[in-house]
Amino acid sequence: MTRSKEHNVGLMLAVFAVLYIFWLLMSACINPLNGHFSPIHIIAGIICAGVVTLLSHDLLITKEGEMTLAKTFRLIAYVPWELWQIFLANFDVAYRVLHPKMPIDPRIIEFDTSLRSDFALTTLANSITLTPGTITIDIDPGKGRFLVHAIAKKPADALLVDKTMINKVAHVYMEEA
Amino acid sequence: MFSIINIIATILIAGGAFFMVTGVVGLLRFPDFYTRLHATGKCDTLGEVLVIVGCMVYQGWSFITIKLFFLMFFIFLANPVGTHAIMKAAYLTGLKPWKKGEERR
Amino acid sequence: MEDIFLALGLLIAVTISLSLYRAVLGPGVFNQVAAVNVIGTKVIVLLVAVGYIFDRPMFVDISLLYAILNFIATLVMSKYLERGEICSA
């Protein structure tokens, strides 16, 4: 009992520190060129961050998962590939928009994954929305089922057959693809 | 007059403006609601992020750069989620997707 | 450099007025909601550009706030259209 309470206090301190650093970064723009801090802003920041921490400290950090640090590093390694995919996606969509005949052939596809955790599903859904020619419509979190709107046949096949992105997201969150 | 930083910032802002215009052209030109969201959900996100990165390069190191970074991060998170929310609402209320060869609506 | 931001602001204004076509006339309410969302995200960038044109960096704060408001407005509108109510008791 006492241990869990101590853990709770540590968590609250962490949340308070994050909120207060955020406040300082946001309120340093009183004189934007050199970042002038006035005492009233520092004290108001302590009060506001304290109140928010007391009310909602269990929302920001829910619980400690396993291997959080390794997952964070893997997520950081995943981001550049994702950015490159977003770049390709934009040229793809720009080509389809500006082409006089509009080479589109929309369809709705459905597929299952074995991902279960909320973070993995959210990451995969956002990645699907931002990468070439596909947008997530609906997710069934219990079965890991995705409903995806694809703008043509090629991006749909890229998602159904290649499964590069699903494997990468599964690698980031250490789940089986 | 134009330093190298200004040139890089100008290129980034011009690219972002191009993608934003492309997104709006897609919004006006595509045949139905779902395909229109393809244009806006992707092109607008990258266009706005490119413009904001251009502003960050132009600004240099200051607290405004940090705020612009938070703004970019938020757009990257919020824009796909908003697109997804509208699309799910439309799909659940039974708006039929456009198939090839049909009338545009 | 101010000229470039001025050109950017004018271009965004033109794109906003083009997407107003969908926001007003777009067939069906979902097209209108999507167009309003697009206009909102463009206004974020327009605010940043206006801040650089008038040399008032405080506009970045306003655009941060506007981004959050626009996101919440989009979510609330789509949830309302999906369920017919905003908050189910």
Side-chain angles (χ1 to χ4, degrees), chain A residues 40-51:
Chain A
I40 186 157
H41 285 98
I42 293 173
I43 295 167
I46 289 175
I47 294 170
C48 289
V51 169

Side-chain angles (χ1 to χ4, degrees), chain A residues 22 26 28-29 35 86 90 94 97 99-100 102 104-106 108 126 129 131 133-138 147 149, chain B residues 19 22 25-26 29-31 34-35 37-38 42-43 46 63-64 66-67 70 76 80 84 87-88 91 97-98 100:
Chain A
F22 202 73
M26 287 291 129
C29 248
I86 292 170
N90 278 276
V97 168
H99 194 282
M102 273 199 295
I104 59 175
D105 181 14
I108 286 184
N126 269 5
T129 302
T131 45
T134 45
I135 289 185
T136 315
I137 296 177
D138 205 356
L147 195 65
H149 184 272
Chain B
F19 279 123
T22 314
V25 171
R29 229 189 132 201
F30 270 168
Y34 296 95
T35 40
L37 277 190
H38 273 280
K42 294 190 220 328
C43 284
L46 190 75
F63 281 100
I64 297 175
I66 299 170
K67 287 185 187 179
F70 281 127
F76 246 127
H84 164 70
M87 209 159 194
K88 186 183 171 189
Y91 188 77
W98 177 85
K100 195 173 186 175

Side-chain angles (χ1 to χ4, degrees), chain A residues 45-109:
Chain A
I46 289 175
I47 294 170
C48 289
V51 169
V52 173
T53 309
L54 280 177
L55 289 178
S56 57
H57 61 93
D58 49 347
L59 288 180
L60 187 60
I61 305 170
T62 46
K63 64 178 181 222
E64 283 185 34
E66 294 166 13
M67 320 259 288
T68 316
L69 204 63
K71 280 179 189 172
T72 310
F73 279 120
R74 286 189 178 189
L75 189 63
I76 291 171
Y78 171 73
V79 165
W81 182 81
E82 179 65 28
L83 285 177
W84 175 241
Q85 289 292 312
I86 292 170
F87 216 70
L88 291 182
N90 278 276
F91 279 108
D92 184 65
V93 173
Y95 168 74
R96 286 180 204 281
V97 168
L98 298 176
H99 194 282
K101 283 179 187 164
M102 273 199 295
I104 59 175
D105 181 14
R107 59 193 62 210
I108 286 184
I109 56 176

